Amino acid sequence: MAAVGERFTATAAATLRAAIADAGGNEVFALGTIAGGLVNGVRVLARGNRQAAPAIMQVPRPGEVVIHNHPSGGLTPSDADLEICSRLGNNGVGAYIVDNAVEAVYVVVEPHAVRRTAPVDAAHAAALLGPEGAVGSALDDYEHRPQQLAMLAAVARAFNDDSVLSVEAGTGTGKSLAYLVPAILWSRANQQRVVISTHTITLQEQLVRKDLPLLTQRAGLEARVALVKGRGNYLCKRKAAQAEAQSAQLVDDELQHELRGVLAWARTTADGSLADLPVKPRPEVWEQVVSENDNCLRARCPFYSTCFFYDARRAAAAADILVVNHHLLMADLSLRAELGDYAQNGVLPPASRVVLDEAHHVEDVATSYFGSQVSLAMIERACGRLQSRRALGRGILPALALALDAIDDPATQAIAHGAAHWIDQRLQPACASALAEAVAVFDELRAELQVFSPAPRQSPPPRSGGGSGWGPAPQLRITPEIRATRLWQVVLDRTGQLAAMLEAFAADCGGVLERLAMLDEADAVPAQVRYLATELGAIRGRLAAIAGALLEFGDDDAGACAWLELRRRGARQEPSLSLHRAPIAVGPLLAKALFEPFRTAVLTSATLAVEGRFDFLHERIGVDRVEPAERVETLRVASPFDYASQAILAVPADLPDPTAPGFEPASHVLMRRLLELTRGGTFLLFTSYAALDRAWFELANGLRS
C-alpha cells in the first residue's frame, strides 16, 4: 500500500478521481502511461463493468499500467483481480488498485520497464539499395529506383515511430527489398522478431528463395529466416505409425496404394512437409497422417522430440524474420485476441512489428477466416473417418472397438469391453444415421434452392447448356425478404434437425471417451487405443463445431451476412450446396487484434488507394480506428516503368462473351497475333491452370518455329 503521490502525478490523480466521480463511485478501468516512475496520463477504458476487464486486456502495451478502483475502499485484490493482473503482467503491463478518493494505491503488478529501441539508420538502409550499395553490387544490371528509396525511407520511419503505414507502390518499384532491408536492420538491432505476411505462395517463395538470400548471403546483412507454414502442411509421425499398423482397418482398399506411398515417403523425408512430396496425395489420404491441433498429444506423444511440426515451430522461435501467409497471421491474431496475450507463443511466436504485402487481400482473408462455412463434404469427411461408407468394418470406430476387445487385463477388461459394446451398438449406427440425415438435408435444400425463383436474378449469368438457369457459383444472400419465404423456413427446420442429430452423436461419443479416460487413469491404455481415442475426441469436437455453425447460420445478426451457395463439381454432377456466414465488417476486429497491439504495421501493394486516397481501405480494415490518428502514415509512389513508350493498352471489341463456347478459340487467335507483333514480348495471364494448359497446347508448337 502506498500514497497516491508516490505513484501518480497530481494531474493524473485528479483526472482519475474525476472519472470515478462521473461513474457514481462505481468501478472504473483506466489506462495509465508512465514517465519518470509516475503515472502521468490517464485514459478511461471502461466504467462500472467488471466483465469488460478481459475485453480491454489487448489495449495496454508493455510499460503501461491498468488502474481500477475498489468502491468498498478495501484494496486487497480478489481472485478475479489476481487472474486479470497476472495476465497483464505476462504482457509487461502493470496493474494498480486505488480507492475511490484516489488517496491510496495497491501495486499488484509492476509495469515492465520498456527497453529503449535502437532506431533504423535510414541513411544506412538507403545506401544499401543505392547505386553503389551492397545490394546493387551483388546484382547484375542493377537499376537504381528513386521510388524504392522513397518507400524504404517511409518504412524505416514507421519502424522508428511505431506507425501504421500504408504504401501503394506501382509495379516494378521493388517493394520487397524496400521493406526487407529496414525489417532486417530493425530486428538485428533490437533482437525483435518481424513478421512478413503475404497472400500468395508465389510471393513467399520469392522472398525466401530470392530476396532474403540476396540480402543475407550476397549483400552482407545478417538475419535468421523461417518460412512458417500452417499445421496442415506437416506429417504427424504418430498418425503415420498408427496408419502403418492399422491401415487395413482405417482406410478403404482404393486408397491403400496411395497411402503406402505416403508412408514410404514418411520414412525418408527430412522436413515432413507436404511440399516435399513428389505428388500431392488426395485429401482422404493426407488426412490419415496430417498433423492436427485437436488430436495432438503434445509432450505425451512418443514422437514429440522429433516432430516435424514442432521442429518447424522451434526454428520459427529462433528466427529474426518470419515469412507467413495472411491466413496463418489471422489465426494467430484470433487466438491472441481471445486469450488477451500478445507476449507468449500463439500460432506464431510473439512479435510487435508486421509487414503485410499484397495487403489488398487482407479484408477478404479476414472475412473468410472470421466467418464460417458448412458443406456436406465436411460432414462426410468427419463421419467417413469414423466409419467408412464403402466398408463398414473400416474406420476409427471399428478399429477402436477391435483394440478395446483385445484388452484382457482383468482389472480393466470390463470397462474396455463395455466401451467396445457402446461403439458397436450405439456409435456406429448413430454415425451412419447422422451421415444419412446430412445427405438427405443437403439434397433437399439443394432441390429447394434450385427451384427458388428469386435466385437466378441474384446470380451471375448462366453458362450455356445449364438447364437449371444457375451459373457456375450462384449465391443467395439471406435478406429480410428471404427470411419471410418458405425456403428459409425449410432451411431453418432442416438445419436445426441436422444440428440436433450431430450434437446428440457428439455427446454420445463422450460416453466412450469417459470410459477410456477411466482406463487412462488406471494406466491401462495400449498405445493404439490412446491414439484412436485422440482421433475420436478430435472428430467429436469437429462435429460439435459443425452443429454450432448450422445453428449460428440461422441467427438474425445485423453484424453478419449469411448466404447459400451452389457450386458445380462437373458437367454431369449435381451442384454442391454450402452454407456461409461472415462478418459484414472486419475493420473493428482487425483494429483490436492487429493495429492496437502491433507497434508497427506496414501495408503495401500495387493497388491500395482509391482516387489517390486510402480512406476506403482504412475504413474496411480498421486503420481508421487507430489512436492517435497521427500514428497513421500513407505514401504513394508511381511505377518506375516507362509505360508510355514500353506498353500499350488494347481492349478487343470483337471477342465472344467469356461464357460463350467460342471464347477460348478466339482468344487463342488473338494471343498468337499479339505474340507475333511483339516477337514474344508479351505476358499472358490466366485465371486457371486449365485455361493456361489449353493455351499452351494450342500455341506452343507454332511459336517454336
Side-chain angles (χ1 to χ4, degrees):
M1 191 84 66
V4 162
E6 298 176 24
R7 294 284 177 165
F8 289 76
T9 65
T11 301
T15 301
L16 183 58
R17 198 175 293 120
I20 294 171
D22 288 345
N26 293 314
E27 234 174 347
V28 171
F29 285 84
L31 179 65
T33 55
I34 293 181
L38 298 177
V39 175
N40 70 333
V42 172
R43 176 163 65 96
V44 174
L45 299 175
R47 292 181 175 86
N49 183 1
R50 175 174 291 274
Q51 299 305 314
I56 66 173
M57 292 189 67
Q58 56 190 289
V59 177
R61 298 181 177 187
E64 296 177 330
V65 59
V66 171
I67 309 153
H68 79 280
N69 60 306
H70 277 186
S72 65
L75 302 189
T76 302
S78 64
D79 290 342
D81 288 332
L82 291 174
E83 179 182 353
I84 293 169
C85 294
S86 65
R87 290 169 64 186
L88 290 168
N90 288 340
N91 289 347
V93 179
Y96 295 174
I97 300 173
V98 299
D99 58 354
N100 275 15
V102 193
E103 294 177 346
V105 57
Y106 187 101
V107 177
V108 186
V109 176
E110 292 281 7
H112 175 69
V114 179
R115 183 170 61 90
R116 282 187 172 274
T117 56
V120 173
D121 185 338
H124 171 56
L128 290 170
L129 291 183
E132 308 299 326
V135 175
S137 301
L139 289 174
D140 296 330
D141 302 321
Y142 178 75
E143 294 183 9
H144 171 59
R145 287 165 282 186
Q147 296 91 337
Q148 185 181 55
L149 295 184
M151 178 175 172
L152 179 145
V155 173
R157 286 195 302 273
F159 275 86
N160 292 342
D161 299 342
D162 295 351
S163 299
V164 175
L165 171 67
S166 294
V167 182
E168 181 179 89
T171 304
T173 300
K175 292 184 290 294
S176 56
L177 294 183
Y179 60 69
L180 286 175
V181 169
I184 291 173
L185 293 176
W186 173 272
S187 177
R188 297 299 291 180
N190 294 284
Q191 289 83 54
Q192 291 187 18
R193 196 176 292 107
V194 177
V195 175
I196 311 293
S197 181
T198 78
H199 180 63
T200 61
I201 294 174
T202 303
L203 181 53
Q204 285 184 325
E205 291 179 343
Q206 175 192 318
L207 294 174
V208 172
R209 298 181 181 179
K210 180 182 176 183
D211 296 337
L212 284 162
L214 166 67
L215 295 175
T216 59
Q217 297 171 18
R218 300 177 63 188
L221 295 181
E222 294 184 12
R224 295 162 296 184
V225 177
L227 172 61
V228 186
K229 303 176 184 179
R231 189 165 197 149
N233 286 279
Y234 292 98
L235 174 106
C236 171
K237 290 186 176 181
R238 190 266 301 167
K239 289 177 67 176
Q242 179 179 318
E244 191 93 59
Q246 294 183 288
S247 64
Q249 297 170 291
L250 295 173
V251 180
D252 291 341
D253 290 338
E254 67 178 67
L255 302 176
Q256 289 287 343
H257 177 73
E258 193 172 335
L259 178 60
R260 283 195 291 271
V262 171
L263 294 175
W265 162 81
R267 291 189 287 270
T268 60
T269 178
D271 69 354
S273 169
L274 186 59
D276 188 44
L277 264 168
V279 179
K280 187 176 181 179
R282 282 180 279 186
E284 304 95 308
V285 172
W286 182 245
E287 70 183 7
Q288 299 297 325
V289 297
V290 63
S291 178
E292 297 169 303
N293 182 62
D294 54 5
N295 59 29
C296 178
L297 296 176
R298 295 174 176 81
R300 296 177 65 195
C301 178
F303 302 98
Y304 178 74
S305 61
T306 60
C307 173
F308 292 124
F309 171 75
Y310 284 110
D311 277 350
R313 286 302 181 263
R314 283 187 279 270
D320 304 307
I321 304 294
L322 300 182
V323 179
V324 308
N325 64 33
H326 293 341
H327 192 274
L328 196 62
L329 177 64
M330 294 302 156
D332 184 66
L333 297 179
S334 177
L335 177 62
R336 294 183 184 280
E338 181 181 344
L339 299 178
D341 188 342
Y342 287 82
Q344 307 301 316
N345 280 340
V347 176
L348 301 172
S352 62
R353 319 275 164 172
V354 62
V355 177
L356 296 103
D357 203 340
E358 300 176 310
H360 58 287
H361 289 290
V362 167
E363 182 188 2
D364 287 343
V365 174
T367 300
S368 172
Y369 184 82
F370 290 108
S372 63
Q373 175 183 342
V374 180
S375 66
L376 177 59
M378 294 169 61
I379 301 173
E380 286 178 327
R381 282 198 300 271
C383 291
R385 285 187 66 183
L386 291 179
Q387 181 172 273
S388 169
R389 298 175 68 185
R390 298 181 181 87
L392 296 183
R394 304 278 176 88
I396 291 169
L397 291 177
L400 182 55
L402 195 64
L404 288 167
D405 273 333
I407 293 178
D408 56 7
D409 181 358
T412 56
Q413 190 177 54
I415 298 174
H417 290 187
H421 182 76
W422 187 304
I423 292 171
D424 290 336
Q425 300 301 312
R426 296 179 60 166
L427 292 192
Q428 292 195 65
C431 182
S433 297
L435 183 54
E437 175 70 5
V439 172
V441 167
F442 277 85
D443 282 349
E444 180 179 346
L445 295 184
R446 184 185 64 243
E448 290 279 350
L449 189 56
Q450 285 179 295
V451 299
F452 184 64
S453 59
R457 293 196 299 271
Q458 300 189 21
S459 305
R463 290 189 184 275
S464 60
S468 69
W470 285 85
Q475 299 173 347
L476 178 67
R477 182 179 173 186
I478 308 305
T479 62
E481 291 76 20
I482 298 298
R483 292 179 185 275
T485 64
R486 174 185 173 278
L487 170 67
W488 181 245
Q489 193 56 53
V490 173
V491 170
L492 283 181
D493 292 345
R494 298 299 277 134
T495 56
Q497 292 165 12
L498 178 57
M501 179 170 278
L502 293 175
E503 284 183 332
F505 176 57
D508 216 16
C509 291
V512 170
L513 294 171
E514 288 174 4
R515 284 159 174 75
L516 297 182
M518 295 167 62
L519 294 178
D520 206 11
E521 290 175 2
D523 200 23
V525 180
Q528 287 302 113
V529 171
R530 177 176 289 117
Y531 296 166
L532 291 167
T534 302
E535 298 288 323
L536 174 59
I539 295 175
R540 173 204 182 197
R542 293 173 202 176
L543 290 172
I546 291 172
L550 285 169
L551 294 174
E552 189 179 56
F553 180 78
D555 290 346
D556 188 2
D557 181 359
C561 174
W563 69 97
L564 298 165
E565 186 169 307
L566 286 175
R567 286 189 177 272
R568 290 203 177 279
R569 296 174 291 183
R572 297 183 179 180
Q573 290 181 302
E574 286 286 348
S576 61
L577 171 70
S578 52
L579 286 64
H580 300 256
R581 180 182 170 89
I584 291 175
V586 295
L589 296 172
L590 291 176
K592 291 184 178 180
L594 175 61
F595 299 116
E596 284 183 0
F598 279 80
R599 290 186 175 273
T600 295
V602 176
L603 304 116
T604 187
S605 173
T607 53
L608 290 182
V610 178
E611 296 183 349
R613 297 178 60 84
F614 293 84
D615 299 27
F616 180 77
L617 170 77
H618 287 179
E619 185 272 329
R620 298 300 298 173
I621 65 173
V623 177
D624 64 331
R625 296 169 176 260
V626 170
E627 293 182 354
E630 291 74 26
R631 271 191 73 208
V632 179
E633 300 288 342
T634 62
L635 175 68
R636 294 180 67 229
V637 294
S639 170
F641 289 158
D642 184 3
Y643 287 109
S645 61
Q646 294 181 332
I648 182 171
L649 174 64
V651 181
D654 56 350
L655 282 177
D657 186 276
T659 61
F663 172 76
E664 271 202 354
S667 71
H668 295 161
V669 172
L670 178 62
M671 291 176 198
R672 183 178 290 108
R673 180 62 178 146
L674 288 172
L675 290 166
E676 290 170 352
L677 289 171
T678 59
R679 285 179 271 184
T682 302
F683 176 65
L684 302 175
L685 184 64
F686 298 84
T687 57
S688 72
Y689 282 113
L692 172 73
D693 289 340
R694 289 191 292 268
W696 170 260
F697 179 79
E698 291 293 329
L699 301 174
N701 288 333
L703 294 174
R704 289 194 183 101
S705 58

